[in-house]
Amino acid sequence: DSGVTQTPKHLITATGQRVTLRCSPRSGDLSVYWYQQSLDQGLQFLIQYYNGEERAKGNILERFSAQQFPDLHSELNLSSLELGDSALYFCASSVASGGLGSNEQYFGPGTRLTVT
Amino acid sequence: AQTVTQSQPEMSVQEAETVTLSCTYDTSESNYYLFWYKQPPSRQMILVIRQEAYKQQNATENRFSVNFQKAAKSFSLKISDSQLGDTAMYFCAFTGNQFYFGTGTSLTVIP
């Protein structure tokens, strides 16, 4: 158990809908990262937040947005969903802010999103 | 552009044998970090080992060790005394201004 929690574990929704994925980092970690892993693919970095502020942005679509709240949990919002958005979405957390790799990231169990 | 390349999509090894997974990366930065993550069938991402680029000494964690060749931008993972529980996807990762992952190597340990 990494200490990072993600809800829900599974999500099935229809095209055009909007969903929210939730992540709680490990106790003491200030950074939260979101990744997308499509079937049999590697991980695509989406976005990073540090202590409530956006710190780095990767290959995140305009239909996707995220935020980190004062209690440090984070939410990833996916809207106007398409079939191609079906994937495993991981959240990870670490102590550090910038210098992404200065501390290792601990991953949550992921949320499996299926768009039908 | 910063990239991570894993040229071996699939590998297999006999139980108790040694296997080496390859990873190369491209960057213009002088200081960075490299990681190997393991993703078993449960899909949980598990950190295996970490290497800081400014350290010449290769990192070691029990049966896992790396061969870090900074000039060649190579970062291979050696698994000694392979166990059935080592069966998983292994991802090499590099940090620059973002966290970059390779496409993974699927390792199967054969009894």
Side-chain angles (χ1 to χ4, degrees), chain A residues 37 90 100 102 105 107, chain B residues 37 39 43-44 50 98-99:
Chain A
Q37 185 179 33
F90 283 106
L100 292 184
S102 55
Q105 298 182 16
F107 283 76
Chain B
Y37 280 87
Q39 187 177 41
R43 304 303 294 269
Q44 175 73 48
R50 170 180 181 255
Q98 292 184 19
F99 219 78

Side-chain angles (χ1 to χ4, degrees), chain B residues 20-31:
Chain B
T20 299
L21 309 182
S22 301
C23 174
T24 59
Y25 59 94
D26 187 23
T27 182
S28 57
E29 299 186 24
S30 59
N31 193 26

Side-chain angles (χ1 to χ4, degrees), chain B residues 66-82:
Chain B
V66 299
N67 183 5
F68 175 49
Q69 302 289 329
K70 190 172 183 179
K73 295 179 182 175
S74 171
F75 181 61
S76 60
L77 175 70
K78 186 172 81 171
I79 305 174
S80 304
D81 185 25
S82 297

